[in-house]
Structures are given as structure tokens and as C-alpha cells.
Amino acid sequence: MNVITFSCSIPIPKSFSLFIKSDFYSSKRNSSLGLYRRNPRISVLKASEDGFVVVEDDLHALLQVVLDLGRFPEARFLGESGGQYLRNTEVSMKELEEAQKAVGEFGGDNRAGIEGTLHRISAIRSRKGLIVGLTCRVGRAVTGHVEMVRDLLDYGESILFLGRPGVGKTTVMREIARVLADELHKRVVIVDTSNEIGGDGDVPHAAIGGARRMQVPNPSMQHKVMIEAVENHMPQVVIVDEIGTEVEALACRSIAERGVMLIGTAHGERLENIIKNPTLTDLVGGVETVTLGDDEARARGSQKSILERKAPPTFPFLIEMRERNYWVTHRTERSVDMLLQGKRPLVEVRRRDEQFRVVIERWKAYDGDGI
């Protein structure tokens, strides 16, 4: 497998038959590859001797490379619908088998990595268990995102990041780990279920700085490794990506109640998504139905049966990552209570202006709906 350092390029195994590089400036073209050029920034160049096809493009825009059996290989980019075909010949089973051998071993979640990089390879299998599709998701070590939440890190309170896939949650986790460990001098342990934060291989990627990384042998064991991290390694901060099950939510509460700061992510676009999700609602305190007496209901001007927050939230701060540079920050306890009452809480909007400076707008009315 040929790899060039991340500082200048994105390495992908030779068996993927393509190599995407940010600093390659040649005017040579190979029209026989038959690229469908819907984006004028992209050009396919002549294949190199080792079998790579070089694609000239802005490095930051590439999101993933998709290889599906019987279809053209495709590159997809941030902020664009559809993708760019890389050649006019279909992906064969032999190519998928070679690619499977070139990357790390696939785990129970059908994910693998490329050692020494932050990229993630995900497999699609047939009913017989054969790999018929691969998604190479580009992982990057990006600096600067932490400035959006640097002031919150000083509080030492737990933070939950919400966002749809691809919005940059894992990238932010990686930089927060580095800043907490190297600049704020905290004892940081990352629970890295799919090796997405620290990269594949036994030695973690330099992007996480001095943070320690615990790998998870099976995705179903993530909650156990989280507790093990606290009991065995005395962290001040635990970082966990993609909290998605009830036992993981309970593990988060157990860790928070031991006085350890948690930085976590979950899939969902708005706070309401977590409140309504029975699996993850405990992260924001949970919800229960309360029956009021006649006098209390009359005083509140409400029905006798109402929804209330059941417990203190595991994460005092919750951030909705609407876009890479547009975040909505909640004080979780206050926002959940107001949403359950059908009111709109006041939030902070964190964004970057045209000069890429962080702008924080406080006491903005939330644009979500009540529960």
C-alpha cells in the first residue's frame, strides 16, 4: 500500500485505483478515463506507474470516495449534490477484494481504517456476507474549530455535540482532545470505538496530541470500555464519539456523576431529537409525565398531566452543529425545561464571519419548536 504523508495529500490504497492529492499541478489530461466533469475545479490526470489515478482538487472539499460493484467509482464533495465519476469502467469484484486486503481488518460494525491516517473505510455486504461496496470517508486533522468552544472548555463541564453525519463532529472531537491534553494539561482518555478519532493502528495519530486512546474490540462493548477508562486510568476528561445506545447513555451518566468531564457526540440535528429519543433522552435529563393537582394546574394555566425533566442532564452544555461554521449552544437544563413547557429558550449562536473570525451572539431566541 502506497502512502504519502497527510500534510500534502490524502492517501488511499493502490487497490482503490485512485489517488487524490491537493498539491499536484499538471496540465496533462487523459480523456480515455471518461470523467464526467460537472465541476470545473476537478481534473483527472494520467495514471502513475504504481496504478494511482491523480485527481486534482481542493483538499478540504473532498468528503468520500464510493466504490460499488458494477458501478463507476465516484468522488463526493462537501456542499455539492451528486458526485464526480472518476472513470468510465465499472468497479469489479477483484478490485473490491484487493481493496479489502489493503486496508485494516473490518470490525463488527463493518468499518476499517488505513494505518497512519484518519480515514475510515466502511463496507456494504451482500446477504452472503461478501463485500459489494466500499465507502472511503476522508478524515482530516483540522485546526481552528476549537476556537468556537474554547471558552466553554474552561468551565470544565461536559459538552454534547449534535449534528448530522458529515458535519464535522469527529474532527472537532479530535482537536478538543489535543487542546485539553496539550494546552490545558488535562488527563484525557479517548474511547475510540472505530478508530475514527485516533486513526487506525496501535499508535494513535499525532492529531490527538498527548491524549491517550483506548480502542474498543467490539462496538457493543463501548460502554464497558468507557467505565474501564474511568476506573483504571484516572482521566479528568473522557471523549467518546457516537453515543447511540441506552447502556452508553447510562455509562455517560455514571462517568459524569464521578466528577469526570465528558465530551461526546450523537446523531441528531436539534435538541428536540434527543428529548424525543427514548434511547438517548437520559443524556439531557430524561422526561417523565407528572400529574398536577387542581390548584397547581390552575396556577400554571396548564393541563393536569404535563411533561417535566426527570433528572439533571448528563451534559450541562449541548451544541447543535447546524453547519461546520454555524453552531447553536444550549444550557441544557434551561433549554429542556422551556421546550417541555412549549416555550422557546434563549441560546447562543456561534458562527464565523467573512474574515473567519468567531462571532458569538448571546440571548438569541431558539428557532426550534416545543415538545
Side-chain angles (χ1 to χ4, degrees), residues 111 118-120 137-142 145-146 161-178 190-199 207-208 239-243 263-267 321 324 327:
R111 292 179 178 181
L118 299 171
H119 310 317
R120 185 185 79 192
R137 181 173 174 177
V138 177
R140 300 176 176 84
V142 180
H145 280 307
V146 75
F161 289 85
L162 297 184
R164 65 183 184 277
V167 79
K169 300 186 298 298
T170 303
T171 302
V172 172
M173 294 293 100
R174 200 175 290 127
E175 192 185 7
I176 287 178
R178 179 188 60 80
I190 300 169
V191 178
D192 204 359
T193 303
S194 298
N195 287 356
E196 227 179 320
I197 299 178
I208 67 172
I239 295 178
V240 57
D241 200 13
E242 295 186 5
I243 301 166
I263 307 291
T265 71
H267 287 306
M321 296 179 65
R324 287 181 178 265
W327 301 358

Side-chain angles (χ1 to χ4, degrees), residues 91-105:
V91 175
S92 68
M93 180 59 77
K94 181 179 179 181
E95 287 177 310
L96 290 176
E97 290 173 352
E98 291 176 351
Q100 182 181 355
K101 295 175 183 177
V103 302
E105 184 179 350

Side-chain angles (χ1 to χ4, degrees), residues 29-66:
R29 298 289 189 270
N30 186 349
S31 58
S32 63
L33 291 171
L35 177 72
Y36 294 80
R37 296 186 69 233
R38 295 198 295 268
N39 187 333
R41 297 177 304 162
I42 304 172
S43 57
V44 170
L45 310 178
K46 185 176 180 179
S48 58
E49 294 179 359
D50 57 6
F52 285 120
V53 173
V54 180
V55 181
E56 180 184 329
D57 184 67
D58 294 332
L59 179 64
H60 71 277
L62 180 65
L63 179 63
Q64 59 184 207
V65 175
V66 176

Side-chain angles (χ1 to χ4, degrees), residues 80-96:
E80 297 181 15
S81 57
Q84 309 293 313
Y85 292 123
L86 299 173
R87 70 184 191 199
N88 62 355
T89 55
E90 298 171 347
V91 175
S92 68
M93 180 59 77
K94 181 179 179 181
E95 287 177 310
L96 290 176

